Amino acid sequence: SKVPAIVVQKRGRSFGLVVEEVVDIVSIESEVDDSIRDRAGILGNLLLGDEVVAVVDPLEIIDAELASMRKGVPVAAREDSAPKGRGLV
């Protein structure tokens, strides 16, 4: 079966972030409001129509996961680490 994922490259390696669902793929030229960054992996927020959308930083999420794996406790294994709601990568 298919697993929805967002694939990004870092230092010549491909990484996949498994997501619940890919709702849409859009290209937006808008300023990200970074005044509210309440957790790692979030660049900030932007307005998309009448919705406020969190902008996700997949490279920061990958860095955090790799660092924690080196310590033996993957971030993804902690239930409180997963952001809730909709986000934009």
Side-chain angles (χ1 to χ4, degrees), residues 25-67:
I25 299 171
V26 295
S27 178
I28 301 171
E29 290 189 29
S30 180
E31 291 290 320
V32 174
D33 177 4
D34 63 356
S35 64
I36 301 175
R37 293 186 57 174
D38 61 351
R39 61 187 165 262
I42 301 295
L43 285 173
N45 302 292
L46 60 81
L47 285 174
L48 182 59
D50 61 349
E51 292 186 66
V52 176
V53 179
V55 180
V56 178
D57 182 350
L59 300 178
E60 186 175 354
I61 293 169
I62 290 165
D63 286 342
E65 184 66 26
L66 291 173

